Amino acid sequence: MKGRPPRQAPKGENNIDTSGSPRSRKVSARWSPGEACRPTLQEAPVYYPNDKEFKDPLGYIASIRHIAQQYGICRIVPPASWSPLCPLREKSVWEHAKFSTRIQQVDLLQNREPMKRKKTRKRKRRSHSKMGSTRRQPRSHGSESNTHSDSSDDKFGFQSGSEFTFEEFEAFAKEFKELYFGTNDNEVWRPSIEEIEGEYWRIIEKPTDEVEVYYGADLETGVFGSGFPLESSSPKASTSDQYATSGWNLNNLPRLPCSVLCFEECNISGVLVPWLYIGMCLSSFCWHVEDHHLYSLNYMHWGEPKIWYGVPGSHASSLEDAMRKHLPDLFEEQPDLLHELVTQLSPSVLKSEGVPVYRAVQNAGEFVLTFPRAYHSGFNCGFNCAEAVNLGPVDWLEHGLTAVELYSKQCRKTSLSHDKLLIGAASEAIQALSAVKNLNKTDLRWRSYCGKDGILTKAIKRRIEIEEERMEQLVPPVQLQKMDKDFALKDEQECFSCYYDLHLSAVVCKCSPEQFSCLKHANSMCSCEPEDKSILVRYDKDELNTLVQALEGRMDAIEQWASKNLAFRSLNRKQPNLVKLDSERDELEIDPSMKNDGFSGLLRELNHNSKKHCSSCSDDATTSYSSNHGSGKKLFGVDLSVCSPGVRQNGILESEKDSLSTKTSKQKLLYHVDPLIFGSIASGKLWCNKQAIFPKGFRSRVKFFSVCNPEITCSYICEILDGGLLGPLFKVSLEDCPDTNFVCSSTEKCWEMVSQRVCEELTTKINLGKQDLPPLQRDTEGINGLGMFGLLSPEIVQTIEALDVNRQCLEYWNKKQKLKDGRDVKETSGSVESLVSRPATVERGQCSGIKVGAEEVQHANYRSSDTELQLILRRLLSKADAEELRILHEILCSGSTSPEWQTAFATLTQEIQRKV
């Protein structure tokens, strides 16, 4: 490190002297390193998503939310493969496009007198020529927004500065920094980030000179241009197309699928349309929260670091109280001071008041994410360019409701209609619940927000409760009237008194039909009699109840709401690649060696025209298995035919109508699980095991033989209920007859009871002389309870795992981690698992619903040397032909999740049971 420069240069030295352009205004203030006031703060978390995680912005943000939101802000470093080119650096823009700036008086951001006493200040500030464009009045504030007022002397603000090109501003910023941190002998001093930070807070806390800088803030990308490439209208793909369509491109982020901002038609600048921020050393963004307490995402395109400070949303009120305590005169003069974004308060002061403050240093090519109602501020260490926009995942809705209620108390105008977004999101989720086929990942994510404990359901319930409470408080009661369909949809209506959004309800009086009020101010809008007033409602009480029931999963309510509310589809509902729910682990394999002992024998052709269809079914695709239609794969004489990957399965078993004696080993029972509601993670040891997590409120649909008439299949609803101290209770009921249900403490027992009931019905029909019936089922080992619930389906498992962001289900995650680390592979080389090179993803003694008794496994658990093992395998394999050996090799290489591997293992297990 170089020797420390002099503490402060005399005011008359090293000045850029001119009375003309502010670019060359003299810099009289100097760095005072001996008086640095750098705060001691804990760093906010930093996240490094890999390429796969980075493909899903909202999914990734959801995965880090529970931890990161405790800090208010976090830093996200993209994978090395993600490096978009910035169009703003093209010569035509860099040298010619001009942007406006604001003059920031850094030394007055905390220590200043109220404006009413400013004339008595001993130190007078220079006047400035306003060479740039006048400041816009934005509707919303971005993540580093700054406001000011040129026309009023009643409020402190940032005056308009000169216009610059990027080339000019870079030179100006560089010259300022070199002079400010320079030495008397004109040596260029390059201070560290920590030194700049210490000097910045010295200026804020203990100012000795005027320090003025310029900031190109809140520049509308819709006018000036974005730093991200935009999707080209040209049919020829360009190298930047992947970034133009990326979800992390801030032009796309706000309206990604499953963002509630999809339901806002207007391109609100700063909220749905990004803003640019072009900074220089010491330029600042002061303490503020985002409009409507939205998330914000800030990306730095290039330049020197930006230092951020964040306070968790849970401590927002504490920060406000601390600022009022330490800046009483400013708040007395201007109660809404924090809305103006022109006031700093040292993090050290906030910490002394018990407010947690965290720090993040954002470098070029990195994102900073701020969470709902998280106050944040910061400053720039030098010339840089950043871009920011808001986003609204579904979990924001509860924070958004808090925001609009707070705005109403403050009589503050809103930027968007919260209720319109809420109803739009609910309607979209219900459309996803009503889908019966072609489910995609977006539908599955919408479904995960539903259920009695779903975050979307809770948000709707809370909003309805508030509405009902306010209607009950109206004295005397006012008559209800349905509002026009287009009321407040295009031109949003607001309360005449508090500016509350009137999307759901509005009060109107005959005396002034163009004026409306919210329910809180119905009695104060005029002195007319109650009979002259009406409450306009978009939905009556029954409709709102239907909405709640639909989100909770009631099929009749889902169909009713979905059919009447198609208008709320999101503006750009994208269709990602279809999720195949008929995956390999959704197959229920019946051992082909078993004859009339179960459902593995030949079953008659079943009726396909059931009332409900599984969502993964194709109406015209069926699968039939016989000696003529199988794949021809055999291992030691046993048919291992599996469903062709290109065939869509419909969940209904079909069979030949020939005699039972010739077909018993050719059949497989296929099932497909349709997830309805994913529920929520519950704490406690009983809510998971090593194989699966059991979300409270989970619901799925699956087809199986009817307990009422086993000659046909029907839809069953599988549910996971809260049994209190008993933990989860598993319920299986007929969808068309909910009163017929089976409840037990395990999935296996539930489906054993269903199977036994089917057997009883078959026995009754056989005793009555009924012919051509399916074979009698007495052994239920072929039925996997977890699989029938859908808890082994990869797509469903992935969604459930995403719900457990805090990893509460320890037994499940510990097991998964052991498998991942390879520590769960059995050391016993002579066991049944070793014989078939069984991967660590299958527990010993159980595989895909095929259970091996403890005695049989123990008996088979002999030890042998490698030579002995080779001899045994060679004797066994000598009986197979070349084709059978090839098939065996494919099976062993396919992994334990493949149907072939599971069938082979089940067959081997049954042979052990039969011969031991």
Side-chain angles (χ1 to χ4, degrees):
M1 180 176 177
K2 296 181 180 180
R4 177 173 292 178
R7 178 171 174 269
Q8 183 172 339
K11 285 190 177 182
E13 299 181 14
N14 291 334
N15 295 333
I16 309 175
D17 190 14
T18 179
S19 57
S21 170
R23 300 185 186 88
S24 54
R25 196 180 304 283
K26 65 180 181 179
V27 180
S28 60
R30 288 293 181 274
W31 179 28
S32 298
E35 299 180 9
C37 295
R38 181 171 179 259
T40 303
L41 303 174
Q42 182 180 342
E43 294 293 318
V46 184
Y47 294 93
Y48 298 86
N50 57 38
D51 288 317
K52 182 178 180 181
E53 293 169 329
F54 199 69
K55 290 180 180 179
D56 180 9
L58 294 185
Y60 185 73
I61 290 171
S63 71
I64 65 174
R65 173 173 63 90
H66 285 280
I67 299 298
Q69 71 179 352
Q70 300 173 32
Y71 298 83
I73 62 173
C74 71
R75 190 156 56 100
I76 300 175
V77 181
S81 60
W82 201 80
S83 59
L85 297 176
C86 182
L88 301 177
R89 307 214 62 158
E90 295 175 0
K91 184 176 181 180
S92 59
V93 179
W94 187 263
E95 297 180 359
H96 302 288
K98 288 184 176 288
F99 58 88
S100 60
T101 61
R102 300 172 190 168
I103 303 171
Q104 293 186 330
Q105 301 155 242
V106 183
D107 57 303
L108 298 183
L109 293 181
Q110 177 177 309
N111 290 287
R112 64 177 182 267
E113 296 175 355
M115 296 300 290
K116 63 185 178 183
R117 299 207 300 264
K118 70 176 183 177
K119 293 182 179 180
T120 65
R121 289 176 60 95
K122 294 180 180 179
R123 184 179 58 156
K124 294 185 178 180
R125 191 166 292 273
R126 299 182 298 271
S127 61
H128 303 280
S129 60
K130 298 171 186 175
M131 302 174 64
S133 62
T134 58
R135 180 190 173 275
R136 303 174 305 280
Q137 296 294 331
R139 190 178 180 190
S140 174
H141 303 137
S143 63
E144 9 170 340
S145 202
N146 294 274
T147 67
H148 76 290
S149 175
D150 286 332
S151 60
S152 173
D153 290 333
D154 297 332
K155 293 182 178 181
F156 173 80
F158 302 143
Q159 295 179 335
S160 293
S162 294
E163 287 188 340
F164 292 83
T165 64
F166 284 107
E167 185 177 43
E168 293 168 342
F169 196 68
E170 181 183 31
F172 174 73
K174 179 181 179 182
E175 192 169 15
F176 168 85
K177 186 173 180 179
E178 288 179 353
L179 285 170
Y180 189 92
F181 290 95
T183 63
N184 287 337
D185 56 3
N186 292 324
E187 180 184 0
V188 176
W189 181 266
R190 290 183 173 82
S192 66
I193 293 175
E194 291 74 18
E195 288 171 327
I196 297 174
E197 185 177 24
E199 174 64 7
Y200 176 81
W201 288 110
R202 181 201 68 78
I203 298 170
I204 298 294
E205 296 184 58
K206 303 173 183 178
T208 56
D209 291 287
E210 300 175 4
V211 179
E212 295 181 344
V213 296
Y214 291 77
Y215 200 6
D218 302 348
L219 302 176
E220 300 183 41
T221 57
V223 176
F224 188 79
S226 172
F228 288 97
L230 300 179
E231 195 165 1
S232 174
S233 57
S234 171
K236 295 183 179 180
S238 68
T239 55
S240 63
D241 276 355
Q242 61 171 316
Y243 299 110
T245 58
S246 169
W248 293 94
N249 183 324
L250 299 191
N251 297 282
N252 305 326
L253 180 70
R255 288 195 171 112
L256 288 179
C258 294
S259 167
V260 300
L261 293 180
C262 285
F263 308 100
E264 174 54 59
E265 296 90 347
C266 299
N267 287 325
I268 305 170
S269 183
V271 176
L272 288 149
V273 179
W275 274 351
L276 280 175
Y277 299 89
I278 304 165
M280 62 178 287
C281 189
L282 305 181
S283 58
S284 312
F285 51 104
C286 299
W287 287 113
H288 69 287
V289 295
E290 299 300 304
D291 265 15
H292 288 262
H293 299 170
L294 286 158
Y295 286 76
S296 75
L297 193 66
N298 184 296
Y299 179 76
M300 186 184 289
H301 291 292
W302 76 76
E304 298 188 61
K306 188 189 300 287
I307 299 184
W308 292 71
Y309 305 96
V311 172
S314 57
H315 288 79
S317 297
S318 300
L319 177 141
E320 294 164 359
D321 293 341
M323 293 194 72
R324 290 188 180 94
K325 176 181 176 180
H326 288 271
L327 305 171
D329 293 341
L330 298 184
F331 277 91
E332 181 181 357
E333 181 181 64
Q334 194 174 348
D336 63 346
L337 183 64
L338 282 171
H339 300 165
E340 299 299 322
L341 292 82
V342 293
T343 305
Q344 290 284 48
L345 186 65
S346 169
S348 300
V349 175
L350 292 173
K351 281 184 65 179
S352 71
E353 294 294 332
V355 180
V357 185
Y358 301 95
R359 174 181 181 268
V361 179
Q362 180 186 21
N363 300 298
E366 297 177 354
F367 292 94
V368 166
L369 178 69
T370 74
F371 289 86
R373 209 187 177 186
Y375 272 95
H376 49 282
S377 69
F379 68 94
N380 299 295
C381 293
F383 175 62
N384 59 28
C385 177
E387 190 167 344
V389 80
N390 290 120
L391 60 151
V394 174
D395 64 85
W396 161 79
L397 285 169
E398 62 172 310
H399 304 285
L401 180 57
T402 301
V404 293
E405 294 299 321
L406 183 62
Y407 286 7
S408 175
K409 292 178 182 178
Q410 298 171 344
C411 295
R412 181 179 173 186
K413 284 182 173 288
T414 60
S415 299
L416 43 80
S417 170
H418 179 269
D419 287 340
K420 181 170 69 174
L421 302 185
L422 178 62
I423 298 297
S427 298
E428 189 80 353
I430 293 171
Q431 289 291 336
L433 290 174
S434 68
V436 295
K437 57 184 175 181
N438 293 338
L439 276 179
N440 56 54
K441 290 184 178 180
T442 300
D443 292 322
L444 293 177
R445 184 168 290 172
W446 278 117
R447 288 182 173 207
S448 71
Y449 304 138
C450 302
K452 291 186 178 180
D453 296 314
I455 54 177
L456 182 53
T457 310
K458 288 180 178 179
I460 284 286
K461 284 181 177 179
R462 180 59 189 141
R463 182 65 187 93
I464 293 174
E465 287 173 3
I466 292 174
E467 200 77 353
E468 290 177 345
E469 289 170 2
R470 289 176 180 164
M471 284 194 178
E472 291 172 358
Q473 292 171 1
L474 287 177
V475 180
V478 179
Q479 64 178 349
L480 297 179
Q481 179 182 334
K482 261 305 190 64
M483 63 175 59
D484 292 338
K485 181 180 178 181
D486 296 330
F487 180 84
L489 285 182
K490 295 182 179 179
D491 299 322
E492 294 170 0
Q493 299 289 348
E494 56 190 15
C495 175
F496 80 100
S497 176
C498 68
Y499 304 113
Y500 197 78
D501 173 57
L502 304 179
H503 182 80
L504 277 186
S505 63
V507 180
V508 64
C509 183
K510 293 179 180 178
C511 72
S512 52
E514 298 302 318
Q515 177 176 279
F516 304 94
S517 83
C518 67
L519 296 176
K520 291 190 297 182
H521 297 104
N523 295 327
S524 60
M525 67 182 300
C526 64
S527 57
C528 297
E529 296 297 325
E531 53 265 25
D532 293 329
K533 300 177 182 178
S534 299
I535 300 178
L536 306 179
V537 295
R538 191 171 299 278
Y539 304 104
D540 59 34
K541 189 173 182 178
D542 290 340
E543 289 173 321
L544 292 177
N545 287 336
T546 298
L547 174 60
V548 172
Q549 292 170 358
L551 290 172
E552 290 179 342
R554 283 262 308 260
M555 291 304 298
D556 55 340
I558 290 172
E559 293 172 0
Q560 184 178 348
W561 185 269
S563 63
K564 293 183 179 180
N565 295 276
L566 295 175
F568 286 100
R569 308 296 283 175
S570 60
L571 293 182
N572 63 341
R573 177 174 166 82
K574 298 180 180 179
Q575 298 292 338
N577 294 331
L578 297 183
V579 176
K580 296 182 179 179
L581 293 182
D582 52 332
S583 61
E584 56 269 7
R585 267 201 274 183
D586 279 340
E587 276 191 30
L588 177 61
E589 300 288 345
I590 299 299
D591 175 48
S593 69
M594 299 178 65
K595 297 193 176 181
N596 291 326
D597 247 341
F599 283 121
S600 57
L602 173 65
L603 303 181
R604 62 188 296 277
E605 187 170 342
L606 301 174
N607 176 16
H608 294 183
N609 299 320
S610 56
K611 295 181 180 179
K612 307 285 183 182
H613 294 282
C614 173
S615 67
S616 62
C617 301
S618 174
D619 294 337
D620 59 353
T622 59
T623 305
S624 178
Y625 293 94
S626 70
S627 58
N628 295 326
H629 298 86
S631 65
K633 291 185 178 180
K634 292 184 179 182
L635 182 62
F636 310 130
V638 179
D639 191 351
L640 298 181
S641 301
V642 293
C643 179
S644 171
V647 179
R648 179 74 67 173
Q649 305 164 7
N650 70 348
I652 300 175
L653 177 67
E654 292 189 358
S655 62
E656 302 287 326
K657 294 186 178 181
D658 297 0
S659 64
L660 298 178
S661 60
T662 61
K663 302 291 183 178
T664 55
S665 65
K666 306 292 184 182
Q667 297 306 313
K668 299 169 63 177
L669 177 61
L670 304 179
Y671 71 87
H672 307 278
V673 180
D674 179 14
L676 301 177
I677 298 171
F678 286 98
S680 59
I681 300 299
S683 58
K685 294 175 61 177
L686 299 175
W687 289 90
C688 73
N689 60 20
K690 293 179 180 180
Q691 293 175 284
I693 296 173
F694 309 130
K696 182 168 63 176
F698 176 88
R699 296 185 77 202
S700 61
R701 181 192 293 119
V702 66
K703 283 188 178 294
F704 193 67
F705 303 104
S706 172
V707 296
C708 299
N709 181 7
E711 298 179 62
I712 63 171
T713 58
C714 67
S715 294
Y716 287 81
I717 299 297
C718 302
E719 300 176 76
I720 302 178
L721 309 175
D722 188 352
L725 296 176
L726 298 176
L729 291 178
F730 301 91
K731 178 181 178 181
V732 177
S733 57
L734 282 171
E735 185 171 26
D736 293 336
C737 185
D739 291 336
T740 302
N741 56 72
F742 307 84
V743 181
C744 197
S745 59
S746 77
T747 58
E748 299 291 340
K749 290 292 184 182
C750 268
W751 279 100
E752 283 180 14
M753 290 191 293
V754 173
S755 179
Q756 290 170 3
R757 177 74 173 273
V758 171
C759 289
E760 293 171 1
E761 292 297 322
L762 280 172
T763 301
T764 300
K765 291 180 178 293
I766 291 172
N767 292 338
L768 293 175
K770 183 74 173 178
Q771 301 293 321
D772 200 22
L773 291 173
L776 189 61
Q777 165 85 2
R778 295 196 184 279
D779 190 342
T780 59
E781 287 184 347
I783 298 179
N784 186 326
L786 291 173
M788 296 296 281
F789 268 71
L791 298 176
L792 297 181
S793 174
E795 287 75 23
I796 296 177
V797 169
Q798 183 179 7
T799 303
I800 292 174
E801 288 180 346
L803 295 176
D804 191 11
V805 292
N806 289 329
R807 305 236 166 164
Q808 300 178 52
C809 303
L810 294 178
E811 184 178 5
Y812 175 84
W813 289 111
N814 289 341
K815 179 66 175 180
K816 185 165 185 175
Q817 186 61 40
K818 288 181 180 179
L819 298 178
K820 183 178 180 181
D821 295 342
R823 294 195 299 266
D824 199 47
V825 179
K826 303 299 181 180
E827 296 180 359
T828 305
S829 61
S831 65
V832 174
E833 291 89 334
S834 300
L835 274 173
V836 292
S837 302
R838 182 166 136 192
T841 52
V842 181
E843 286 189 23
R844 177 177 158 194
Q846 183 172 353
C847 175
S848 304
I850 305 299
K851 300 178 181 178
V852 183
E855 294 181 2
E856 287 85 344
V857 173
Q858 184 177 4
H859 184 80
N861 189 19
Y862 59 87
R863 292 187 177 272
S864 62
S865 66
D866 290 343
T867 303
E868 291 173 331
L869 183 59
Q870 288 178 2
L871 291 174
I872 293 171
L873 289 175
R874 288 188 185 283
R875 285 201 304 268
L876 186 65
L877 298 176
S878 64
K879 301 178 182 179
D881 58 27
E883 177 64 14
E884 289 175 334
L885 290 173
R886 185 188 64 78
I887 293 172
L888 177 60
H889 184 267
E890 288 181 1
I891 292 170
L892 294 178
C893 292
S894 67
S896 64
T897 58
S898 71
E900 292 93 339
W901 198 98
Q902 294 175 5
T903 301
F905 185 81
T907 304
L908 178 60
T909 303
Q910 293 296 335
E911 286 299 309
I912 293 172
Q913 291 177 325
R914 187 169 64 85
K915 295 183 178 181
V916 172

